[in-house]
Each structure stands twice: as C-alpha cells, then as structure tokens.
Amino acid sequence: MILTVTMNPSIDTAYPLAGPLKVDDVNRVEPIKTAGGKGLNVSRVLGQLGDDVLVTGLLGGRMGDFIADRLDEAGVAHDFARIAGESRVCIAVLHEGNQTEFLEAGPEVGADELAGFEAKFRELAARADVVTMSGSLPRGVDAGYYAMLTGIAAGAGAKVLLDTSGASLEAALGAKRKPYLVKPNLSELGALLGRELPAGDLGEVRAAVEGDERFRGVEWVVVSMGAAGSVAFSGGRAWRARAPRIECMNATGSGDSTVAGFAHGIAAGAEPAEVLRLGNACGTLNAMDPATGHLPMKRWDDIYGAVEVTEL
Ligand code: ADP
C-alpha cells in the first residue's frame, strides 16, 4: 500500500472569468471546486495508475467534510485525523491568461490534535510499503514534523518520498533517519544551498548535490527542472531524464504527478531508469491536461515511450 500525507488540504476553487478582472466591481463566476493539496494530487494520480493508495493527514469542519466527500466520489480511500479548525479554501481567479490566487493559511493545529494524528500515522505507516509526504505544514506545526514522521515510517520499514522545501526539507535532511527520496526543483535546491543554480548546468547541480553532506544517506535525490525534465542521483550514479516537447495546458501539479510516478515505480521494485521514466512521464502528462493532478491516460504510451533517460 502507498500512504500519502496531506497536512493542510484545501478546497481549491477556480473562478474562470470570461473577460478581464473587474476590480472594485462585481465579477460573476461559475466555480470549479476540487479537493486540493499536493498530497491529494499525488493520490489521484496513483489512483489512475492503479495503485493501492490510502490518504491521510488533517481534516477539519464542514470544509473538511466536503474534501472527504470529493475523495469518496473519486473512489480514493482516506483515513484522516479530524481537527477542530476548518480546512482551508484556496481561490484561483483565471482571467486573460493570468492566474490571481488567494490562499488561506489554513487552521491552527493544537498539540493534542497533532498527537492524535501521530498515533494514526504510526498505525498506517506500519502497513505501508511507500509513504509520500508533500507540501507545507499548517500553522502551529514545527518545521521538524516531517523529519519526525519520516523517522516513524522509515523505522517501520517504509520508503519515504518527501516533497517539501525550506526549513522542513532542511530538518528532514538533518535528521538521523533520512527520507528515501527527495525531489526539490531547481529553485528549491538553490534555496537549500543558499545560492542560485544556473538552469542547464548539470555539472554544477551534480557537484552541488554530491558535495553536500546533507544528502548523504538519502537514496534518491531528484532535481526537477520543469519542461527540461529532471536529473537524478542515487548510489553514486546520475541520470538525466528529458521530457518530450508537448503543448503545456497546466503544469500545476506536475511535481506532484512526478512524485506519484516515482512512488508507483518504487513500490513495484522498478530499476532506477524505469523509476525516472515513470516519474517524468507522469509529470509531463499532467502538464498536458487542464486539470491539476490528473493524467490524460490515452496519451500514456506515446509520452512514456518518448521520455529519454540517459546515465550521465
Ligand atoms: P514542480 O511542480 O515541483 O516545480 P516541475 O515544474 O519541475 O516540478 O515539474 C515536474 C516534472 O513535470 C518535470 O521534471 C517534467 O518531467 C514534467 N514537466 C513539467 N512541466 C513540463 C512541460 N512544460 N513540458 C514537459 N514536461 C513538463
């Protein structure tokens, strides 16, 4: 089973406008509402790939009920810890090719609620082969929380795929038990290293990853580079995956879809090059579909076949 963790899910609401955004005036809209959050995107894609997936995290109030209902409708199994605060709503106004976003911070989480989640996580992680953890943490949760969950899951024998950034990523890389895979994009890696990495200079990326003590003990470091694909490091070897040229419809959720592809491959015991091909195929397919965290499966064979993986 693949367990996915979403600590701060949201009702993602898109307001597509027919014309320009009218400021200080009325804009009439037909909303499109989805159960959102990076971990939920990972889960939906895993569902499309046919994996046995279970979703966990924190859910609160009526907004939380809405998210649970949407997951039920999509046939995605879930077991969340309930909290007193309301899960958040995030709004994206789509106007004239622009995307103006309003993101709620989400509920404040109490210490007893976190302890309740930890107990549930311990139980679920013991049944999982792979655990994915994605996105930022809600208010009131320490930056070391993912590092702590990683310790629990890895201690129970699960492979942890961690897709986060900033202080959370740093804490996980500084812990005794490290994640099995981390997937920073180029700018997240730059933030971790405290300097900008030039796009396209793979030698520099390789030197940065292989020379940094913090990555020791992490089985897989994958640096994703949007339309340019990704570069991956494992066991002293390095691979480059090139994504095929596509018409990009909506790349939001491509990183999450990539994580889903990795989780799928790793759970199946695939070879490194195959794991990379799966991840990149999922990321690229997601970018071809207007929906976030959704692959146009009719295009699977041609995109999967067109991802080029070479060892560096
Ligand atoms: P994140 O969303 O985490 O920033 P990226 O933007 O790097 O992640 O995208 C993750 C993966 O999705 C890439 O490595 C690539 O395989 C695929 N991808 C993203 N955007 C495109 C695109 N425009 N064309 C083809 N593939 C893409």
Side-chain angles (χ1 to χ4, degrees):
M1 181 262 282
I2 300 174
L3 180 68
T4 69
V5 178
T6 308
M7 294 300 284
N8 202 8
S10 65
I11 300 177
D12 284 350
T13 307
Y15 290 153
L17 300 187
L21 174 66
K22 291 182 273 179
V23 177
D24 200 22
D25 201 348
V26 171
N27 295 272
R28 295 197 185 279
V29 292
E30 285 282 351
I32 304 165
K33 299 187 184 204
T34 46
K38 288 167 70 68
L40 298 191
N41 296 337
V42 175
S43 315
R44 276 198 299 272
V45 171
L46 283 170
Q48 283 193 285
L49 297 176
D51 284 287
D52 175 15
V53 55
L54 179 63
V55 180
T56 191
L58 305 175
L59 217 52
R62 294 287 167 85
M63 302 297 140
D65 294 343
F66 180 93
I67 292 168
D69 287 349
R70 283 293 152 106
L71 290 174
D72 288 340
E73 279 166 24
V76 177
H78 55 89
D79 187 354
F80 286 93
R82 300 298 301 211
I83 56 170
E86 284 281 340
S87 290
R88 63 194 176 135
V89 175
C90 292
I91 294 169
V93 184
L94 311 175
H95 54 107
E96 299 177 291
N98 302 305
Q99 183 158 333
T100 302
E101 300 194 10
F102 299 86
L103 307 182
E104 292 181 17
E108 180 99 33
V109 183
D112 51 336
E113 292 174 327
L114 275 182
F117 173 70
E118 190 186 320
K120 180 181 286 294
F121 180 79
R122 230 173 246 288
E123 207 182 292
L124 299 179
R127 287 163 34 204
D129 306 302
V130 172
V131 177
T132 75
M133 303 197 277
S134 315
S136 56
L137 292 164
R139 288 180 297 161
V141 182
D142 185 83
Y145 200 72
Y146 279 141
M148 188 275 293
L149 294 182
T150 299
I152 293 175
K159 290 174 174 153
V160 177
L161 279 51
L162 179 64
D163 184 13
T164 190
S165 54
S168 284
L169 177 59
E170 235 165 286
L173 293 177
K176 205 165 121 254
R177 275 192 204 271
K178 300 207 181 183
Y180 184 80
L181 180 148
V182 292
K183 189 216 73 63
N185 60 30
L186 212 49
S187 71
E188 288 164 347
L189 179 65
L192 189 76
L193 300 168
R195 65 192 158 95
E196 216 168 288
L197 288 164
D201 189 344
L202 296 188
E204 169 116 18
V205 174
R206 184 171 191 170
V209 170
E210 291 184 343
D212 195 312
E213 277 295 319
R214 291 173 292 181
F215 291 115
R216 291 280 140 78
V218 180
E219 192 74 25
W220 277 94
V221 180
V222 185
V223 182
S224 68
M225 305 181 297
S230 62
V231 57
F233 307 94
S234 181
R237 296 167 73 188
W239 293 264
R240 166 79 200 266
R242 278 176 209 278
R245 231 174 229 288
I246 49 128
E247 193 194 339
C248 181
M249 301 286 284
N250 174 15
T252 311
S254 277
D256 307 331
S257 304
T258 301
V259 169
F262 291 152
H264 175 78
I266 288 168
E271 292 294 315
E274 168 73 1
V275 170
L276 277 182
R277 183 181 297 282
L278 284 162
N280 279 267
C282 291
T284 300
L285 281 161
N286 175 76
M288 295 166 71
D289 197 283
T292 297
H294 185 267
L295 312 186
M297 293 303 284
K298 279 192 296 207
R299 302 293 309 276
W300 177 270
D301 287 348
D302 47 315
I303 296 301
Y304 177 78
V307 174
E308 270 178 44
V309 180
T310 43
E311 186 157 359
L312 296 175

